RNA sequence: GGGCGCAUAACUCAGCGGUAGAGUGCGUCCUUCACACGGACGAAGUCGCAGGUUCAAUCCCUGCUGCGCCCACCA
């Protein structure tokens, strides 16, 4: 065997195995290997075709990969369905930007050429993210990968649209909608993000009253607005019917200062809050949602004053052609010139922005396609209420229910070119709209005319995404895959798309498949920086997962995160966002995929924010190194073993019985953690087992056996070591796929083992052996060793300085266990020969000091090394602790109510604890006499 | 305006009606033949504040304070 290097180098290991797995077909579902097995399915949330790997992907995909690898190892026919989303607006924006560099717009190319251009872009640079997901080890069935614009996906979209239309759930209507002036399309309510606490102003100006009665009151009406430019679309001014200030104006008309129009004064108790502003509200039905509703109540004209690009149209009169915000300035200027300005106040307001382009959303009246949601929402609510879909963590159920019970109809059309074109055809003769499954409608379904023009709009990207769980399996065709893999078991995703995606998939699954699309929804939090701030390009605190995996200097990283800022400034910002990098020098070492994955798993998925700490990733890199070195150590002893694949029969040695028992607990903990979507618990169970129990205790204990033990003892220990190591590597594999494969391949294994650890079975409790007796016996042993080490350390005795130790216990079994394992104690506590074991006694070796470690008294002879003053201090401190604890316990037990009401086990536990504390106190105080002796 | 969540060791976070935990960091010691990306030992917390329920509260309830998020058409 070639010599293994001293330290683990992930970069040398990781790239090799992914290809191996692909060649073996490890990730494929529905193979002969899995025939007749139960299925386990996770549909992967398809990343955007424009996307590149970020921490959110790394987090979600790691979680999903752990789940899928675990179930695959458990023998399920595991399908992780991958794919890519065509991401309508994002993609169109990206390609339009490229065109702009060539000095062109999409209109220069025309629709068909533009779409061809997007496809070309997609083939070249889209889908880079699939490659990146492979770097982090995702074991998805890539051969089944789907793109939401694939022909079969398009067919599914058309089928869904047509059926929903036939059933009256999709309709066309003219409404006030959210308009994105930059990408020039309508947006759904969900795609509008509201920026809060924006500093704006409340601007006041006066409308002159026509035919005012000068004796009744002022001849003008002052209104307050945050958007003065919209006054060009005012078709009324509303006051509260009960407002005494304006009673004289009821029924009057106002003169518009810029256009030839009279604006009526109306009374409306819904719209107007007397206490706000001037108590008079200008009403612009075509550009404000409240005003729109008011207009409907009063039959007001809806006057659109904007073009689709956000400039003023002809209704703007002298302001026509001006961009919205320029128009605002101009209007204010003119109002001032006309002497109509009445002041302005600072005002905190909210601003609606487009999720994709960040431009301020303009409410516009427009004819669009809508989906009626209330009838779809009801069954989706029911499915969660009756448990057919379980949402984990449960706290999100309320959010889900709130949205679905207050759901609004969904605007599904978009004025884009990239996407699924709406399968509706407008008749040029009779204006009837024909909706069809065919690529093109041949004749109007009403008048039979062949003069048909397809609706130019495309569907919201989420319209296709919502069909994902069944469209990827062949729907609407009734394929064997659809029958076998629908519904999925788990949907794992971020909580930010509960509404966009999760709820809609549940509605569509129930509607088209008659069954929920998945049994559980597992929701993870958002990855944020170390201080808890959202990762964003603006803040310069984004972390590229690949930089953590492959290593990167901070300079290259901040240049990516904040390309426009000076490096020094960006670096300062970055280090502020990640305080743990302060002592890291120039950058990240190559932590490796496994370290990153294990780190992500170590955070509780139910936390809303996951504050990623590079220092923590470093900790798990060290864990990888630990795993590597422990295996390297073990191999020197076990390389010629012929393991059976089962735990050794009847192990006699305590350390072997104990380790097998702990192994059972660890794999049970891991499986429970994964099943409960508490990967942190699962990962922690194995981490603790490996590092503390296997390495720090077991491996150290094997050393005296491998050097001086009997052949039988050595054989048994070798068998236990090789078995436990092989099992724990399997248990760790879903979390850390690469290093476990690398090391597992080096281990001797039972005959007939699979070609990859990824195909080996996931361990169960039966791979170890629960042994309560061994666990308590080991407790005495470790207590004795730690007790002796504590004394040594406190008195500054070097490890190389061997000292006599005597161990005492009143319990014959304890004494027996200590004697049986005395070579081990000698080795681990560096004692002068095997420790003597005795019953408690008032006699003590001269110059010895006593430490009480649970059931064992440890007497270490330190004459000549010991500092009596220090020892005295130590005893005082310990006694003080014990005395305090005793007081607490005594008080508790003196309470009659406690004695009467506490459960018996709690009571007896408390009594036992008090007894043991009292004994400890007695033993500690006996130590005071030793100090005297030492001083002599 | 509604709703949700968080506040535990210097940091990042678990936990839980009955002795406060981990990792990192910190201090001391150790290059003992897997690993210094290591080992041993240790110090460190009125579990945000104020009430209440209970025999017993870090945990349950109420209020407050400070953060964070989501939803909502107050000009």
């Amino acid at each position: 065997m070639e010599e293994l290097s001293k330290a683990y180098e992930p970069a040398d290991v990781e790239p090799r195995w992914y290809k191996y797995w692909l060649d073996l077909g490890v990730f494929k579902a529905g193979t002969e290997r899995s025939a007749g097995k139960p299925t386990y399915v996770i549909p992967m949330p398809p990343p955007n075709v424009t996307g590149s790997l970020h921490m959110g992907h790394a987090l979600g995909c790691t979680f999903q990969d752990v789940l899928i690898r675990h179930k695959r190892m458990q023998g399920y026919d595991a399908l992780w369905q991958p794919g890519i989303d065509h991401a309508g607006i994002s993609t169109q924006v990206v390609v339009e930007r490229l065109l702009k560099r060539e000095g062109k717009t999409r209109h220069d190319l025309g629709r068909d050429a533009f779409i061809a251009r997007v496809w070309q872009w997609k083939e070249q640079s889209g889908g880079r993210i699939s490659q990146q997901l492979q770097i982090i080890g995702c074991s998805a069935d890539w051969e089944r990968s789907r793109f939401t614009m694939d022909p079969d996906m398009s067919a599914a979209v058309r089928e869904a649209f047509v059926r929903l239309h036939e059933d009256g759930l999709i309709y066309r209507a003219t409404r006030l909608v959210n308009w994105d002036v930059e990408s020039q399309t309508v947006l759904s309510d969900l795609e509008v993000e509201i920026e809060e606490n924006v500093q704006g102003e409340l601007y006041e100006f006066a409308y002159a009253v026509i035919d005012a009665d000068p004796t009744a009151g002022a001849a003008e009406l002052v209104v307050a607005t945050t958007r003065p430019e919209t006054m060009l679309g005012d078709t009324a001014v509303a006051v509260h019917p009960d407002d005494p200030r304006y009673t004289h104006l009821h029924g009057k008309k106002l003169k518009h200062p810029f256009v030839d129009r009279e604006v009526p004064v109306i009374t409306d108790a819904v719209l107007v809050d007397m206490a706000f502003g001037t108590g008079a509200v200008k009403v612009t039905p075509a550009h404000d949602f409240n005003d729109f509703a008011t207009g409907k109540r009063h039959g007001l004209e809806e006057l659109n004053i904007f073009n689709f690009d956000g400039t003023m149209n002809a209704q703007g009169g002298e302001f026509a052609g001006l961009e919205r915000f320029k128009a605002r300035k101009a209007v204010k200027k003119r109002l001032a010139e006309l002497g109509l300005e009445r002041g302005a106040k600072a005002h905190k307001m909210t601003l609606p922005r487009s999720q994709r382009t960040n431009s301020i959303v303009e409410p516009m009246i427009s004819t669009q396609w809508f989906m009626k949601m209330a009838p779809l929402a009801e069954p989706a609510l029911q499915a969660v209420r009756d448990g057919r879909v379980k949402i984990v963590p449960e706290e999100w159920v309320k959010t889900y229910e709130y949205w679905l019970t207050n759901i609004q109809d969904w605007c599904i059309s978009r004025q884009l070119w990239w996407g699924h074109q709406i399968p509706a055809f407008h008749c040029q003769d009779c204006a009837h709209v024909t909706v069809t499954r065919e690529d093109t409608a041949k004749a109007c379904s009403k008048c039979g005319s062949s003069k048909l023009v397809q609706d130019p709009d495309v569907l919201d990207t989420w319209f296709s995404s919502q069909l994902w769980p069944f469209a990827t399996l062949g729907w609407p065709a009734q394929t064997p895959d659809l029958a076998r893999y629908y519904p999925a078991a788990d949907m794992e995703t971020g909580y930010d798309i509960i509404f966009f995606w999760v709820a809609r998939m549940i509605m569509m699954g129930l509607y088209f498949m008659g069954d929920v699309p998945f049994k559980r929804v597992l929701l993870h939090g958002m990855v944020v920086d170390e201080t808890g701030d959202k990762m964003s390009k603006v803040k310069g605190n984004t972390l590229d997962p690949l930089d953590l995996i492959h290593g990167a200097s901070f300079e290259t990283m901040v240049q990516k995160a904040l390309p426009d800022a000076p490096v020094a400034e960006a670096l300062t910002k970055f280090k502020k966002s990640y305080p743990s990098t302060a002592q890291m020098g120039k950058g990240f070492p190559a932590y490796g995929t496994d370290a990153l994955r294990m780190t992500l798993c170590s955070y509780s998925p139910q936390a809303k924010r996951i504050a990623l700490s590079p220092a923590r990733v470093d900790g798990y890199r060290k864990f990888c190194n630990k795993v590597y070195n422990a295996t390297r150590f073990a191999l020197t002893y076990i390389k010629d073993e012929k393991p059976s694949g089962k735990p050794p029969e009847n192990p006699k040695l305590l350390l072997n019985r104990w380790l097998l028992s702990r192994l059972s607990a660890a794999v049970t903990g891991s499986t429970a953690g994964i099943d409960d979507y508490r990967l942190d618990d699962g990962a922690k169970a194995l981490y603790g087992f490996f590092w503390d129990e296997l390495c720090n205790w077991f491996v150290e204990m094997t050393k005296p056996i491998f050097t001086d033990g009997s052949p039988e003892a050595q054989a048994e220990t070798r068998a236990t070591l090789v078995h436990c190591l092989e099992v724990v590597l399997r248990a760790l594999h879903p979390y850390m796929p690469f290093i476990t494969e690398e090391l597992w391949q080096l281990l001797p294994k039972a005959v007939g083992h699979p070609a990859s650890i990824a195909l080996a079975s996931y361990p169960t409790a039966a791979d170890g052996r629960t042994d309560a007796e061994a666990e308590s016996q080991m407790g005495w042993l470790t207590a004795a060793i730690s007790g002796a080490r504590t004394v040594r350390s406190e008195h500054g005795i070097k490890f190389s300085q061997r000292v006599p130790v005597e161990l005492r216990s009143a319990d014959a079994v304890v004494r027996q266990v200590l004697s049986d394992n005395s070579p081990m104690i000698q080795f681990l506590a560096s004692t002068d020969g095997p420790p003597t074991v005795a019953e408690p006694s008032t006699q003590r070796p001269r110059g010895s000091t006593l430490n009480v470690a649970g059931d064992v008294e440890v007497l270490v002879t330190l004459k000549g090394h010991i500092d009596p003053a220090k020892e005295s201090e130590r005893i005082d401190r310990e006694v003080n602790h014990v005395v305090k604890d005793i007081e607490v316990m005594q008080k508790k037990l003196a309470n009659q109510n406690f004695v009467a009401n506490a459960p018996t086990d709690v009571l007896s536990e408390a009594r036992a604890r008090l007894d043991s504390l009292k004994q400890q106190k007695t033993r500690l105080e006996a130590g005071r006499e030793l100090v005297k002796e030492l001083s002599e």
Side-chain angles (χ1 to χ4, degrees), chain A residues 92 95-111 113-115 117 184 417:
Chain A
Q92 181 158 327
V95 177
E96 284 191 277
R97 225 172 264 158
L98 290 176
L99 285 175
K100 203 175 171 187
R101 274 186 223 157
E102 300 167 16
K104 292 185 201 155
T105 70
R106 67 179 153 124
H107 300 284
D108 295 333
L109 269 69
R111 185 168 186 142
F114 178 77
I115 290 172
R117 183 64 190 265
Q184 298 198 32
W417 287 352

Side-chain angles (χ1 to χ4, degrees), chain A residues 213 215 405 416 420 431 516 538 642 687 716 733 802 859 936:
Chain A
D213 173 2
T215 60
T405 45
L416 303 171
H420 298 285
V516 296
V538 183
K642 302 265 181 287
Y687 180 94
E716 181 189 299
H733 179 257
R802 296 172 173 275
L859 291 104
E936 284 161 13

